[in-house]
Amino acid sequence: MIQLRLLGPVELVAGERSVEIGPPQRRAVLAALAVDAGRPVPADVLIQRVWGVSPPDGARRALHAHIARLRRLCEQTTNDGGDAQLCLLRRSGGYLLEAPPDQVDVLRFRRLADRARETGRTDDDRAALLREALRLWHGEPLADVGGQWAERVREAWRRQYVDLTVGWAAVESRVGDPVTVIGPLTDLLDEFPLVEPLAETLIRALHAAGRGAEALERFATVRRLLAEELGADPGPGLRDAHRTILRRTPPAPARRTAHRQTSEPAPHASLPARPSPETSSEPSPATARWPGAIPAQLPMGVRSFTGRSDELAQLDMILASAEVQPSAVVISALSGTAGVGKTALAVHWARRAQPAFPDGQLYVNLRGFGSDGSVMSPAEAVRGFLDAFGVPPARVPVGLEAQAGLYRSLLAGRRVLVVLDNARDAEQVRPLLPGAPGCLALVTSRRLLTGLAVAEGAHLLTVDLLTSGQARELLTGRLGVSRMNAEHAAVGEIVGRCAGLPLALAIVGARAAARPRFPLAALADELRRADHRLDALDGGEATSQVRAVFSWSYEALSPGAAGLFRLLGLHPGPDAALPAIAALGGIPVSRAAALLAELVGGHLLTEHAPGRYTFHDLLRVYAAELVDSIDSDQERRTAVHRLLDHYLHTAHTADVLLTPQPNPVPLPPALLGAAPEALADHEQAQTWFAAEHTVLVAAVEQAGASGFDRHSWQLAAALTTFLDRHGYWRVLAALQTSALEAARRQGDRAGRAGAHRGLGLAQDRLDRGEDARGHYLRALDLFAELGSDAGQARTHQHLARMSATRGSPQQALDHAGHSLKHYRAAADRAGQSAALNHIGWLNAQLGDHHEALVHCRQALELAQETGDLNGQAHTWDSLGYIQHHLGRHGQAVDCYRQAVDLFHRTGDRQSEAAGLLCLGDIHRVTARPDAARTAWTRALAITDELALPDTDPLRTELRTRLDGQAQPAFEPPEQPPQPAVRAVPVRGLPETSAS
């Protein structure tokens, strides 16, 4: 019988004889084919598996040579092996290794594991199947194969191996002698000391074998390691095993059978085996190009979390249910009133469960219930998750449905925990739910999400108010046993007045802890005599004393901290950075930092990330009530004015850094105390926008609603470039709509012109051509009335690009000519360079290559004078295209190489890949097939890194060329190829609304 072994060194065995495969690279090719035995594997995939994403020159020739030798080896081995068949065939989709599944050890391993999981089998059957599966392992999988692909496959297979080992040990202990499993499990746990199911199985086996002292010692070791390494306590399974031993409960007698385990498997895991991208029978293209980022977004947990043992146990049981339903996506929804501790419970449990989700933990506050009503849209949340996974903006599709599909594709075959906090309703949550097994979604909401239970099978858990005993436990953790016992009656009243609300209890505990000599009876008296209460938020739950708790906590603040706390009720949210808070208060940053430390220490504010602060939503309501009742209208308006000036002036600085302009129009001076941030370079500007853009969008709306119309449209204009480059086009459209309304109210033509241009850009990106053109034309009219050459130049350039992409090159050329004329009038040399390159490119599209060459050479000279590297790259790209069509292939190669190098330096990876595509085309025309394939393969590797979909035009062009379908046998085409993926190469355009 012929066997292909991958679960150890790569081996080909015929009968009892090991067949010599050849050098390590050939073994790697055989392994890359064998993991997909029975299915064709494209040549490019084989090259990437063996040589990586940047294969050397000649990799394809080497692959063909290895394939030829492996084909002969398969034929020879089949002849020697009797009836068994092993064939290596060429198919339209790639190379196919034809072999029965039981001949490939890893495929047989999976089949045995699947059979062991089948319902209706006896433990004896399961044990026998699992023993047979584990005996297939002969050491480190793919032991003599190197590279990233092999390492990913090894890790996935190790995970499956350890899952099966734990399952075998549990069954073996029930049907055989528990002593049999102790050795293998001990070796495994020594290698993977933090895998709790492994530790639990070993501890139970030791107990069953009468070695209780060893079991207790092992539990103590695991508990210490979990605390030191993860900051977590043992899970319910380990705790239950520990209690069983302490109660001296006799172990259930094993049912002795005739068999005994004769081999000792080896180690790892916790959840049942899931298909990975490398091992699934139907690998997903998206997961095969999994982004490099592994998100770890869980916020910090509560330091002295207490109680909630029932809820934690239920969550643990839900997680454990994945073992018996490995095909299900597990969803749990926590509901309860505001301030009851839903988030604290979710985060605490999520951190405990973190090891079970090695591929990442996502977290988002959906702002379903907030005082400002800024509920997060599913689209915004999905986009945040895509950003967390490192998906580049060019990869993100337009539309919620497509983005959600990409998000679920990224999760396929992975173990990811998704925490959806503060959801408003089931409709907000549904687009964010994973679509593949291996993931768990944990949702919190003030509403009972019955719809999720009906349609998605969610487990619903209600988080109730703390019982009296749990409330006392919480206070004891903060105040100590002696102080609690000393004032028994006062503690009872405090617990009653706080109504079991954890937030209220935490504030009471913090204030009492800060004043160790302050009698608790006095605090109880303040609660008893309070005249006002926060209105109950979700149907009148018993939280009416919270305002009193907040009030005496607020009254204990220093005057400066109290004033800043009130003013924070004016901030649009969802969070605020230290410099912005300083501007709101009109105080130096150092003073603001000290006051914020006081607020955080009193549990009135949370520093959820370094230098960024947020309220609990009830506290935000309370602060807004205070600022309305205590501070005058003028004081409130001045504070908002300072805040908006801070955001506007900083955003304007950042925008100019992103889009250099020769003469940016200055803003009116900022109010004293606004203190805009000083940003030094492009990188700092990008970082600031990334952190603040959600707040800035809210600030635009706040400005329009509170009478600061100029701030509204100017801030929207400053945001346009960032939102456009990062694909936030729906947000941009909504923002510019608000900006247009504000400019109309103010009667500002410059504001209206900029808003129409921004709306045109957003509609253009969203493929709404007629709407976009209408806004562009209105912008042109207004800029002309204002005499703004810069505004007209940029708008004509937008129109030129839109016309070209919609198949009207002559119309595009007319707009590009107008753009150049206005850039010259505005003395914008970088803009002139972009317009000249644009004109050159369009002339080339119309067949006038000599005229195109003149314009692009002028563009290159200007781009080099202004130091615009990206503009130079695009111009070199245009020159390469022109020289190619003029038949000057050597010069075209030089131009494309220059362009590719500059695109790489500026980080424009998609343009780099497109340049390599064209470079490969020239090599093909000049009969240099190896050089062509090298360029195309490099380009395809870049698209893999960018995670572009297979339907992307650039990837389609590359795959067509690499599959040899574009032109037969590298014969020069009658006309040079015209890449369908090349768009009009326009440098990044400034997006201010300067007149």
Side-chain angles (χ1 to χ4, degrees), residues 303-306 469-481 484 509-510 513:
R303 181 178 58 84
S304 55
F305 185 90
T306 56
Q470 291 170 336
R472 287 175 182 273
E473 183 181 357
L474 189 155
L475 286 176
T476 301
R478 295 172 182 263
L479 303 180
V481 175
M484 293 284 289

Side-chain angles (χ1 to χ4, degrees), residues 113 135 187 312 346 402 463 469 573 580 626 637 647 702 717 768 869 981:
R135 288 195 189 103
D187 292 341
L312 291 170
V463 183
L626 288 176
R637 185 170 180 80
Y647 282 138
Q702 181 189 41
R768 300 168 183 166
L869 294 181
V981 296

Side-chain angles (χ1 to χ4, degrees), residues 13 57 77 89 128 287 317 347 356 417 457 694 771 823 929 984:
V13 178
D57 293 344
T77 306
L89 308 171
T287 56
M317 289 176 63
V347 171
L417 174 62
T694 304
D771 290 342
Y823 273 130
V984 180

Side-chain angles (χ1 to χ4, degrees), residues 437-664:
C439 298
L440 186 147
L442 181 58
V443 186
T444 75
S445 178
R446 291 185 194 170
R447 291 177 175 168
L448 187 64
L449 301 180
T450 309
L452 285 184
V454 174
E456 280 79 19
H459 302 266
L460 301 184
L461 298 178
T462 299
V463 183
D464 290 323
L465 298 171
L466 296 177
T467 65
S468 176
Q470 291 170 336
R472 287 175 182 273
E473 183 181 357
L474 189 155
L475 286 176
T476 301
R478 295 172 182 263
L479 303 180
V481 175
S482 58
R483 192 173 181 191
M484 293 284 289
N485 290 339
E487 296 190 67
H488 222 45
V491 168
E493 185 166 5
I494 289 172
V495 167
R497 295 286 177 183
C498 287
L501 194 67
L503 178 61
L505 289 162
I507 295 171
V508 172
R511 185 160 184 250
R515 298 182 178 185
R517 294 183 175 82
F518 197 90
L520 297 180
L523 297 180
D525 184 64
E526 288 186 40
L527 283 174
R528 189 186 316 117
R529 293 184 290 103
D531 296 328
H532 302 286
R533 300 287 186 268
L534 274 174
D535 297 330
L537 292 179
D538 276 342
E541 294 88 345
T543 58
S544 59
Q545 288 86 5
V546 172
R547 184 182 282 115
V549 174
F550 289 167
S551 68
W552 50 251
S553 188
Y554 162 78
E555 289 163 4
L557 295 172
S558 65
L564 186 60
F565 176 78
R566 295 196 306 273
L567 291 178
L568 282 167
L570 300 172
H571 191 278
D575 65 353
L578 173 58
I581 294 174
L584 180 66
I587 54 179
V589 169
S590 58
R591 173 63 176 157
L595 297 177
L596 288 168
E598 183 179 349
L599 293 172
V600 171
H603 293 274
L604 290 170
L605 207 62
T606 300
E607 187 177 9
H608 70 97
R612 299 196 72 86
Y613 300 85
T614 188
F615 278 121
H616 182 281
D617 50 5
L618 297 182
L619 286 164
R620 184 185 295 276
V621 171
Y622 181 63
E625 289 179 356
L626 288 176
V627 75
D628 283 343
S629 61
I630 296 175
D631 298 87
S632 68
D633 290 345
Q634 185 58 46
E635 288 170 331
R636 295 197 300 273
R637 185 170 180 80
T638 300
V640 171
H641 194 165
R642 279 194 305 265
L643 179 68
L644 293 175
D645 270 359
H646 170 86
Y647 282 138
L648 174 59
H649 282 259
T650 309
H652 184 266
T653 300
D655 185 48
V656 170
L657 288 168
L658 292 185
T659 57
Q661 303 158 46
N663 300 297

Side-chain angles (χ1 to χ4, degrees), residues 878-900:
S878 299
L879 286 167
Y881 181 88
I882 294 164
Q883 299 287 15
H884 187 186
H885 282 71
L886 289 172
R888 303 166 184 170
H889 301 311
Q891 294 179 50
V893 167
D894 292 339
C895 292
Y896 275 126
R897 283 175 174 164
Q898 289 272 15
V900 167

Side-chain angles (χ1 to χ4, degrees), residues 92-109:
S92 60
Y95 294 98
L96 169 69
L97 183 65
E98 198 172 74
D102 280 350
Q103 285 184 224
V104 183
D105 59 357
V106 69
L107 303 183
R108 179 167 176 74
F109 175 83

Side-chain angles (χ1 to χ4, degrees), residues 419-440:
V419 181
L420 306 173
D421 193 20
N422 194 14
R424 188 168 188 84
D425 51 36
E427 293 305 313
Q428 186 187 25
V429 166
R430 284 196 174 95
L432 311 177
L433 297 176
C439 298
L440 186 147

